[in-house]
Amino acid sequence: MLNNELKQVIQQSYSTYLKGKGHSPRYGQKLMIAAIARTLGGIRSNDNGERQGEGHVCVVEAGTGTGKTVAYLLSAIPVARMLNKKVVISTATIALQEQIMFKDLPDIKKYSQLVFDYTLAKGRGRYLCLSKLDRLLAADDDPFIPLYEELSPQTEGDMALYNTMITRLAGNQWDGDRDSWQDEIPHEQWSRVTTDHRQCTGRRCSHIRHCAFFKARESLDDAQVIVANHDLVLADLALGGGAILPHPKDTIYIFDEGHHLPDKALSHFAAHARIMATSRWLGQTEGQWASFMAPFAQALGVVSRGLGMEKRLKDARQCLDLLPPLLKAFMPLMDTSQPVARYRFEEGEVSADIGEICEALERHFGDLATAFEKLTDEVGRLLEDEHSPVDKGSSETAFAAIGTWWTRAENALELFKSFAHSKANPKWPMARWMTLIDQGETVDFELVSSPVLASHTLAQHLWEPCFAAIVTSATLTALNSFDRFSMRAGVPKEANFDVVPSPFDYVNNAVLRIPKAAIEAQNAEAHTASVIEQLPKILDAKAGSLVLFASRRQMLQTFEALPCQWQALILMQGASSKQALLTDHRKAIDAGKGSILFGLASFAEGVDLPGAYCTHVVIAKIPFAVPDDPIESAMAEWIGQQGGNAFMQMSVPDASVKLVQACGRLLRAEADKGVVTILDKRLLTKRYGQAILDALPPFKREFNQ
């Protein structure tokens, strides 16, 4: 139970915060604070501070305008301080991460009188590796560079960038953080000068005193509140927890934008490998292994671990080269007219001949991963040996190269292990597929294996080991139920579920319309013609509008068919960056002009256009998922095998969530007013339509049938 002292601290901090900000209490915000406080206050722990029992997870759907960030911070921070736990706030987008870090947390600290320190956590991949940069700039003198070609500078422009980096570092004009560089650094250029946990020599590195990543890590030890993102949290959990962030048993996690967590987990724990690219990598050292080992001639431990390595690599490559002829047989079954040509293995089961080769590859890559691990350990010992017979620079470079190979071998091992043992498990379904990678004159095959549900993975790595977790979003329910999220995320049955209302006056401030002229959207050609006809009739050329499409094809066709005077008002996704489009849109509205944004799914979520920036949201059709997504197809297949109805259990709830998110673009502040128009009559004519309508905000409704 929440003790009186803690309850008083939370209530006092909330009152103090509201007074300092000049705000009035919000009903939904108060309910959310109470729900989180009850959950955290009810956790039992032993004398060592370890959680005992369940009921430690709180799932809160908080409508737009609730002020959920303030609610979870004011309720979680006092509890964490009392229990000596860390608070890790995880978001799905950089925009929200920056808002929490640079606006919400400073406000909470200033106005609530709560005492705490906070910091921002990022993975190694966001920081410069000085060791790699040094190797790049001295590439001509480095015998190891050819063995991992991704480190080779490609152009004079690359070298100019890297020289500028070292100059600014030396002059304290840059801190090594990718996000603080004045321009966007292309991925290919940045990937050559960053690292991962396998390549990093850690405290043994010659540059440790100036390492941007380790400087940032030091602040995590002192901070009580850490702002991260879903990818970093999942990466830490995959390493066992506590590798980058505080250990789960000492952490209260807060997942804002929590509806993204299951999909992020699926992406994070999927295994994949490109067959031709992997074969080229395995053959990269053939004939060069002796020169690679030459600097270690006096290091007997390294020499002994390196014996037979070239043969292991060759054997793995020869076995891998047996796969392409078998994979090519599936090419006629792929729809090459689609943006991505794929073949999904039914029920996730691969053919016997492919499975047999993958079983052999599992052994080969298991052997390679073990050998690279042992070789890494030996080189690591040299780095710690003050009297090492090998110069430190050579050891550091070799350590990074072997670390890269070890990671690649382990990734391939996970993929081939999954394909080798592909018999369907009715409890934990898997999706397995191959994607055709067109490389001009040649092709490659990417094999992918992914869980269909993230429930087992999240239960094992997150919900069970963590001290507590709070999940919040404006869209956690589907069709007014948490069942969809619970199934996908594996939230414990004992979790506390709450829905708190938005303060918005939906009935008086917004109208939901389905025009009489709207048609059912099954026939794509007829529906597109209907959208083209309707838009000039319903849009205000002098206002700010957002038009959302379910497909790029329909969006382009609609734009091209509209009169020139309407095209001049439209800012279309793909014409420039999302941020640039939003900036241009706001400038046009600020200048008293009209502006219309045309966007796809990414514009249906996370776009904040308050007031006059958006007074009309037009949704072309119900956003059902694209049927060729392999995970969605595997999910539908699995539900059918369980005797369920995939359309009603998966497609309709998923579409409902997306439609709620799209409608959420209209009202962004309590004073906002406007209209949502949906140009798909299926909401009125199909059996499932009423259930989807019932899950939308309670707008005033105008359905002209």
Side-chain angles (χ1 to χ4, degrees), residues 252 624 695:
I252 297 173
F624 287 116

Side-chain angles (χ1 to χ4, degrees), residues 354-540:
I354 291 177
E356 186 178 339
I357 294 174
C358 289
E359 196 169 343
L361 288 169
E362 179 188 0
R363 293 192 296 271
H364 282 298
F365 280 97
D367 185 32
L368 275 175
T370 300
F372 282 134
E373 180 180 10
K374 292 178 178 178
L375 191 56
T376 300
D377 288 343
E378 289 296 336
V379 177
R381 289 190 182 95
L382 292 180
L383 288 169
E384 294 173 348
D385 184 358
E386 294 181 3
H387 306 290
S388 171
V390 182
D391 70 275
K392 193 169 185 179
S394 295
S395 295
E396 286 182 348
T397 307
F399 188 95
I402 299 166
T404 302
W405 297 336
W406 182 11
T407 297
R408 292 192 71 163
E410 277 201 334
N411 290 341
L413 171 61
E414 288 301 312
L415 184 282
F416 294 122
K417 182 178 180 180
S418 176
F419 269 66
H421 309 282
S422 67
K423 185 174 176 57
N425 182 336
K427 189 175 182 182
W428 306 116
M430 295 289 293
R432 295 181 180 88
W433 69 92
M434 57 180 287
T435 301
L436 188 67
I437 309 296
D438 188 352
Q439 298 175 321
E441 297 181 359
T442 62
V443 296
D444 201 344
F445 299 96
E446 183 175 45
L447 297 184
V448 187
S449 172
S450 171
V452 170
L453 293 168
S455 51
H456 182 62
T457 297
L458 289 175
Q460 180 182 1
H461 293 280
L462 174 60
W463 312 125
E464 291 174 12
C466 77
F467 182 81
I470 299 156
V471 184
T472 187
S473 167
T475 49
L476 287 174
T477 62
L479 304 177
N480 298 310
S481 169
F482 283 103
D483 290 349
R484 172 184 177 275
F485 181 75
S486 295
M487 178 183 75
R488 291 176 178 258
V491 178
K493 293 180 180 178
E494 300 81 6
N496 300 300
F497 295 89
D498 284 278
V499 176
V500 301
S502 167
F504 293 168
D505 186 354
Y506 289 105
V507 174
N508 292 310
N509 287 358
V511 176
L512 174 63
R513 290 179 182 151
I514 301 176
K516 185 177 182 179
I519 68 170
E520 296 181 353
Q522 295 100 317
N523 185 320
E525 187 176 337
H527 182 254
T528 299
S530 174
V531 172
I532 293 167
E533 180 185 355
Q534 288 293 303
L535 285 182
K537 297 177 181 178
I538 64 175
L539 290 174
D540 183 348

Side-chain angles (χ1 to χ4, degrees), residues 107-123:
D107 274 2
I108 291 289
K109 187 169 184 178
K110 179 178 179 180
Y111 295 111
S112 71
Q113 296 184 2
L114 289 174
V115 179
F116 63 94
D117 291 319
Y118 59 91
T119 191
L120 181 64
K122 301 178 185 179

Side-chain angles (χ1 to χ4, degrees), residues 62 84 187 404 538 617 632:
N84 195 29
H187 172 75
T404 302
I538 64 175
V617 173
E632 296 295 321

Side-chain angles (χ1 to χ4, degrees), residues 347 424-430 452-453 487 634-646 649:
E347 298 184 41
N425 182 336
K427 189 175 182 182
W428 306 116
M430 295 289 293
V452 170
L453 293 168
M487 178 183 75
M635 169 84 88
E637 181 180 65
W638 176 70
I639 290 174
Q641 291 167 350
Q642 306 301 306
N645 183 322
Q649 291 177 238

